[in-house]
Each structure stands twice: as structure tokens, then as C-alpha cells.
Amino acid sequence: MLDKQLGMLLGLHFGDSLGATIEFTPPNYNKNTWHTTITGGGVFNWSPGDATDDTDLMLAILRAMSPNDIDLTKVKENFIDWLSSNPKDVGKTTRENLERLQINLPAIWNAQSQANGSLMRCAPLALLPPEGLMEIIKQVCLLTHPHPRCILCDQIFISLLQMAIAGKDKQDIYKQALVLAQGDTELYQRILLIPSTPWKSVDTSGYVVHSLVAAIWSLYHHNNFLESIISVVNLGDDADTTGAIT
């Protein structure tokens, strides 16, 4: 179990650092030239193995956790400290709402704020016990991404991660994703189409639905970690985040 938990966290960093090199690029349809090694570079000139905002904010959550609990005030403080460190890459919704947190204002949302900035960081919450977990996920999400769809996607993601850590079959994980997404028509329909969706049609933008569906698609269509991560990051666009979530 501990190996799976550590693997999840290290896997997030791996996907993040691999994808960072080709973030904002178009899809690479030539498998012979796929990006397969952590090399750094990219639009932010990362060093090989650098953590982007995905891993940094994941660690901000992890550092506020004890084995069976989380200090939400500490999460908030860690987020604000991270923004104050002048990181290279900060998502628009994350920056706007962390700046509000700095002056003790609540996060705000609109139709344009359904970004993946909370989904990319929330994986450590899968390590917490189930009692009250959905509310904890919601509260962490509300700090920067209060749109109801962001909260739902985070809750689904953590539920699926817990199944994966427990060793559940990927077909069972996929079926549970459908069950949990039933309250959101768009998300449900996109997950429903995963078995028949070709690789070239997978969306990897910063939209939270695209990111969650891309990760589930890659799990469904591959049989090992490396194939799954490499396939999804070479679709480009928000490659570091889809890599991290996958």
C-alpha cells in the first residue's frame, strides 16, 4: 500500500516534469519523434526534473497533512507562501483567487473559471480516510476553484485514485467514474465515449473536464504507467497538467 501511495505522488511529479517540456505545443502525431524523457526546457525553460505549479501545489497540500487529517488553514498559508515565492508558472484562476486569499477575500468564479488548477494538485487527499473526505476535497478546492464542476471533478478524481491505490481493476475504476459523473451531463457523456474515442480526439486543454477525461482515457487505453503518461503528454497543450493527473 505504501508503495502505491508513494508511486502516486512520484508519478504526479514525473508526469508534470515530462509534460512541462511540451506544454502549449500542438499534438505530435508522429510516434517516432515523441517526447519520452524528462529533459527540461519548454516555454518556461525548466531544468530537467523541475517541479511546475502542479507538483509545487501538490506538495503544499501534502505538507499540511498528518496521517489521518489535514489542516486547511495550513493549506491556505502554504498556497499563499508559494505565490509569494514568485513561481514561473501560475494559472490564471489560481493567481486571481490566491491574490484574493492574501487579503482575506473568498475565491470567486464564473463560467470561464472551470480550470484544472485544483485537480492537478489534490492527489494527496486520496491518502486521507473516507470520513468527511468529500467535504475536505470541496474546502480545498474552494480556496481557488469554487466552480461546482471543479469541485465535482476533484471529488471524482480522489475517489478513483483511492480505488487505484487499493488495487482495483481499471475497468472497475472506469465504471465508477461513470457512476460518479451522472450528475454532470457533459462530463458523463465524455467519460461514456472514452472506449470509442481515438487518441487524436482526446482534448488536453486546461478545462477541468478535458483534463480529468484525458487521464481516465489514458488509464483505460493503456496497460502500463509509461505508455499512459507518454501518450497523453504528447497531445501537447496543457501537457504538464494532463501528465500529472494521469
Side-chain angles (χ1 to χ4, degrees):
M1 180 66 75
L2 180 60
D3 284 349
K4 290 181 181 292
Q5 293 170 338
L6 290 172
M8 175 189 69
L9 300 173
L10 290 169
L12 187 151
H13 190 175
F14 175 87
D16 176 24
S17 294
L18 181 68
T21 306
I22 50 176
E23 184 182 14
F24 305 130
T25 64
N28 180 2
Y29 296 133
N30 181 1
K31 292 186 178 182
N32 293 324
T33 61
W34 269 7
H35 175 64
T36 61
T37 306
I38 295 175
T39 59
V43 295
F44 293 103
N45 194 29
W46 303 105
S47 295
D50 269 352
T52 79
D53 52 341
D54 302 66
T55 301
D56 284 347
L57 291 172
M58 177 272 284
L59 290 172
I61 292 174
L62 188 64
R63 288 169 177 147
M65 292 171 56
S66 61
N68 294 301
D69 201 5
I70 186 167
D71 184 337
L72 293 173
T73 299
K74 185 63 176 174
V75 173
K76 175 181 174 179
E77 291 172 352
N78 289 349
F79 284 179
I80 292 173
D81 287 346
W82 173 78
L83 184 66
S84 299
S85 73
N86 194 31
K88 288 183 180 181
D89 185 15
V90 187
K92 181 176 182 291
T93 301
T94 297
R95 180 183 292 279
E96 289 176 351
N97 283 322
L98 285 183
E99 288 174 348
R100 290 178 62 83
L101 278 185
Q102 286 177 318
I103 53 175
N104 293 313
L105 292 176
I108 56 174
W109 62 272
N110 54 46
Q112 284 71 50
S113 62
Q114 301 176 57
N116 57 19
S118 60
L119 188 66
M120 71 186 193
R121 71 190 185 211
C122 70
L125 301 179
L127 305 178
L128 293 173
E131 293 77 21
L133 181 55
M134 293 300 108
E135 180 61 24
I136 290 172
I137 297 166
K138 177 181 178 180
Q139 292 304 317
V140 174
C141 191
L142 284 172
L143 291 172
T144 56
H145 289 72
H147 195 287
R149 180 167 276 155
C150 295
I151 296 169
L152 175 63
C153 286
D154 286 14
Q155 290 172 332
I156 292 173
F157 181 51
I158 295 303
S159 297
L160 302 185
L161 277 180
Q162 290 189 319
M163 291 181 69
I165 292 170
K168 299 298 183 181
D169 182 85
K170 69 178 185 179
Q171 293 293 338
D172 291 334
I173 294 172
Y174 171 71
K175 291 175 183 176
Q176 184 65 6
L178 283 171
V179 171
L180 296 174
Q182 286 181 346
D184 186 307
T185 301
E186 180 190 350
L187 179 60
Y188 178 81
Q189 289 297 325
R190 285 181 176 270
I191 295 174
L192 186 65
L193 291 172
I194 280 175
S196 60
T197 300
W199 174 77
K200 290 183 178 181
S201 297
V202 177
D203 292 309
T204 55
S205 78
Y207 176 35
V208 67
V209 170
H210 288 173
S211 300
L212 180 59
V213 172
I216 299 171
W217 182 96
S218 205
L219 172 71
Y220 185 94
H221 286 276
H222 296 92
N223 293 316
N224 67 66
F225 173 81
L226 279 176
E227 287 181 359
S228 182
I229 300 289
I230 290 170
S231 173
V232 78
V233 301
N234 279 280
L235 285 165
D237 207 344
D238 200 4
D240 59 328
T241 298
T242 50
I245 295 165
T246 301

